[in-house]
Amino acid sequence: MDKVDGGIAILSIILVIVLLILGPCGEHPLGGGFTYFESPRMISYWNMKDTLHLDIPKDVLSYKNTLNYLLVKQRPAQYPDVLDDTKYVYPHGRDTVYYFFIDKRAKEVTGPLLYSEMETYLKDKDLVKMLKKLD
């Protein structure tokens, strides 16, 4: 009985060490080919069958995901990354919070917009509740 308990304890310790080394995968599929990456806190679209590739570059602060739409709150990184393939114009600088609206079916991105601009845009689509639920 002591050998079984000792074996279980050793196996448990090894499992914990492996989990600590590997850590969480950090990828969250959002549907429609979109994925949220915890590091570097960005959203990316890529599909092997599609030539389109787009990113919402870091730093994504939060997002609201539904079956057909994705609403993203982002404060762009202070300096552009090498990984930032999609270039956006941030009219109010990189120290401002911006919002992106993604239609996953049409693969269309609207943004970056300020809160008030996104609110007006979503009112036209009757989706302003999404913005209110976004952290």
Side-chain angles (χ1 to χ4, degrees), residues 73-133:
K73 180 178 180 180
Q74 179 230 23
R75 178 176 289 127
Q78 194 63 24
Y79 303 100
D81 283 274
V82 174
L83 298 174
D84 184 5
D85 293 335
T86 308
K87 302 299 179 196
Y88 295 103
V89 175
Y90 296 102
H92 299 279
R94 290 183 165 259
D95 58 347
T96 302
V97 174
Y98 294 95
Y99 297 84
F100 291 85
F101 180 79
I102 300 169
D103 183 330
K104 293 192 284 187
R105 292 174 297 169
K107 296 177 189 84
E108 294 178 351
V109 178
T110 302
L113 300 175
L114 297 176
Y115 185 90
S116 59
E117 296 168 329
M118 183 57 73
E119 188 174 37
T120 302
Y121 178 79
L122 292 175
K123 278 182 185 176
D124 292 342
K125 295 187 169 294
D126 199 28
L127 293 170
V128 85
K129 289 180 183 179
M130 278 182 76
L131 186 60
K132 303 297 182 192
K133 292 180 180 179

Side-chain angles (χ1 to χ4, degrees), residues 28-36 43-47 50 52 54 56 63-72 100-110 121-122 125 127 130:
H28 303 273
L30 303 174
F34 290 89
T35 304
Y36 171 73
I43 291 176
S44 184
Y45 170 81
W46 184 82
N47 188 333
D50 196 346
L52 176 68
L54 62 91
I56 304 298
Y63 61 87
K64 177 70 178 151
N65 186 31
T66 68
L67 182 63
N68 297 317
Y69 305 112
L70 184 59
L71 183 62
V72 180
F100 291 85
F101 180 79
I102 300 169
D103 183 330
K104 293 192 284 187
R105 292 174 297 169
K107 296 177 189 84
E108 294 178 351
V109 178
T110 302
Y121 178 79
L122 292 175
K125 295 187 169 294
L127 293 170
M130 278 182 76

